[in-house]
Amino acid sequence: MKPKKDLLSLYDLKKEELEEFLTRALELKKKQKKGELYHPLKGKTLGMIFEKPSTRTRVSFEVGMFQLGGLALYMRWIDTQLGRGESVADTARTLSRYMDGIMIRTFSQATIEEFARNATVPVINGLTDLCHPCQILADILTIREKRKSLKGLKVAYIGDGNNIAHSWIHAALRLQFDLTVACPKTHSPAASVLEMAQREAVSKITLLHDPFEAVKDAHVISTDTWVSMGQEKEYRERIKAFQNFQVNTRLVEAAARDVIVMHCLPAHRGEEITDEVMDGEHSAIFDQAENRLHIQKAILELLMS
Ligand code: CP
Ligand code: NVA
């Protein structure tokens, strides 16, 4: 029997595995658009545990499992015995007896790693404080659809050095494109992730603190909320720290003429991004959201069938 395969971070994947997810996602998207029924996961069940809220991740995984012929079961962390202190390891052992795969959204990366070590079925990261691999795979799929390849492109991530920034960096360790991250000095990506970027990147990764310098010649501008889930108490301090990092028309005009603007959503219009940019001609934001479904179907199929 083949050992089970998890998707805990893009860092853990080989380039070939990333490519396989992206290629399969396009094939599955085509099938879906043609209305072709395709049920490789018939009879299989995905458990979905959420320690934080979600719109896209929950719905796209649930709909994806349905479209692949399987069943998805939504569990709020707090409503399971995890909420009363049952251990992560015992929960992983138990759920592995019922399910064929488990998707988790949690705070600490260590939690999902512990879960995966104790589960005998594939475990998929639906966002942690460290990274959001499914999101960045969907974003890369979106860029490929619009620009054929990432090679030779410059991606500028503007804003918080958070889970989204980390997954962009992880992606640039494996795939070839130029990545510039621009954030306030006080909110840079984690030192451990920056160190990886220096040690083993196949791409050019640059950290800057000036968003205008970062978007110069950029083909893609990506941003995210200034206040991630769990950071609500820091709201005032963060809004102040990120004032110069808004993705607005002036910033978009400083990038390449045909720049694509991305945001993983949920957006805080008027904070990290303006209405004008979100709803403007450069925005690929809702295509990104749609591609969560297609890339996750590829992930589910490749890990669970
Ligand atoms: N982008 C994303 O993961 O959205 P949700 O928080 O709605 O799942
Ligand atoms: N950085 C955000 C991403 C939401 C999808 C958060 O963690 O809340």
Side-chain angles (χ1 to χ4, degrees):
M1 216 172 71
K2 270 204 331 207
K4 67 136 178 166
K5 179 91 194 141
D6 303 310
L7 174 45
L8 305 185
S9 102
L10 296 185
Y11 175 71
D12 299 330
L13 296 184
K14 297 193 192 72
K15 176 177 190 286
E16 298 70 44
E17 292 170 323
L18 277 163
E19 296 286 355
E20 197 182 9
F21 288 135
L22 293 162
T23 306
R24 190 63 185 146
L26 278 182
E27 291 166 2
L28 293 177
K29 184 169 179 177
K30 271 200 198 118
K31 277 188 198 295
Q32 188 63 32
K33 297 284 175 196
K34 277 196 285 187
E36 195 181 312
L37 295 182
Y38 178 63
H39 293 153
L41 298 186
K42 194 165 177 208
K44 304 232 172 178
T45 306
L46 176 78
M48 307 191 299
I49 304 176
F50 284 86
E51 203 180 7
K52 299 177 178 178
S54 167
T55 297
R56 280 143 289 268
T57 304
R58 177 191 174 173
V59 175
S60 56
F61 268 104
E62 197 162 327
V63 169
M65 273 307 282
F66 173 75
Q67 290 181 358
L68 293 170
L71 175 84
L73 197 74
Y74 171 71
M75 291 168 277
R76 281 195 341 143
W77 179 288
I78 191 83
D79 293 335
T80 69
Q81 295 287 8
L82 283 163
R84 296 180 57 250
E86 184 170 11
S87 79
V88 166
D90 287 347
T91 306
R93 292 178 188 120
T94 306
L95 292 181
S96 296
R97 301 290 179 111
Y98 306 132
M99 317 280 192
D100 303 286
I102 296 160
M103 193 246 41
I104 312 181
R105 166 167 288 192
T106 184
F107 287 93
S108 152
Q109 184 75 7
T111 304
I112 192 165
E113 283 172 3
E114 189 185 357
F115 201 101
R117 272 196 308 278
N118 289 282
T120 52
V121 297
V123 176
I124 301 168
N125 185 342
L127 179 148
T128 61
D129 288 347
L130 182 73
C131 58
H132 197 1
C134 296
Q135 179 67 54
I136 300 306
L137 279 171
D139 298 356
I140 293 172
L141 181 66
T142 310
I143 298 170
R144 282 205 177 170
E145 284 183 312
K146 295 192 186 294
R147 296 286 181 273
K148 300 278 176 287
S149 156
L150 263 177
K151 217 168 171 185
L153 294 191
K154 175 178 169 184
V155 176
Y157 172 86
I158 309 295
D160 191 12
N162 62 11
N163 40 13
I164 296 293
H166 293 162
S167 279
W168 270 118
I169 295 173
H170 288 159
L173 299 181
R174 303 285 176 257
L175 302 175
Q176 264 187 340
F177 62 98
D178 278 7
L179 175 66
T180 301
V181 175
C183 43
K185 284 199 176 118
T186 44
H187 296 82
S188 290
S192 57
V193 179
L194 289 176
E195 195 200 306
M196 277 174 195
Q198 283 185 340
R199 219 177 39 224
E200 51 183 295
V202 297
S203 307
K204 187 169 152 228
I205 303 179
T206 313
L207 175 65
L208 297 174
H209 303 294
D210 175 352
F212 282 91
E213 195 185 338
V215 301
K216 193 167 176 293
D217 301 322
H219 306 95
V220 177
I221 296 176
S222 166
T223 191
D224 183 21
T225 180
W226 294 337
V227 187
S228 283
M229 291 180 276
Q231 298 175 334
E232 291 76 9
K233 285 207 182 91
E234 299 168 32
Y235 181 82
R236 284 161 68 104
E237 172 263 306
R238 285 182 160 268
I239 295 297
K240 228 165 110 188
F242 287 102
Q243 272 318 299
N244 298 330
F245 289 79
Q246 184 183 64
V247 176
N248 52 32
T249 301
R250 217 158 61 85
L251 193 71
V252 171
E253 283 173 355
R257 207 169 35 84
D258 57 352
V259 66
I260 303 172
V261 175
M262 307 189 99
H263 190 310
C264 63
L265 300 175
H268 302 78
R269 289 168 177 255
E271 291 180 10
E272 74 274 7
I273 192 163
T274 56
D275 282 332
E276 209 180 354
V277 171
M278 260 205 73
D279 304 325
E281 56 174 336
H282 295 281
S283 171
I285 293 171
F286 296 99
D287 296 327
Q288 266 177 277
E290 175 183 341
N291 278 337
R292 289 293 302 279
L293 171 68
H294 306 296
I295 195 76
Q296 285 158 200
K297 283 172 71 181
I299 294 167
L300 293 166
E301 182 188 30
L302 290 166
L303 299 189
M304 284 171 63
S305 64

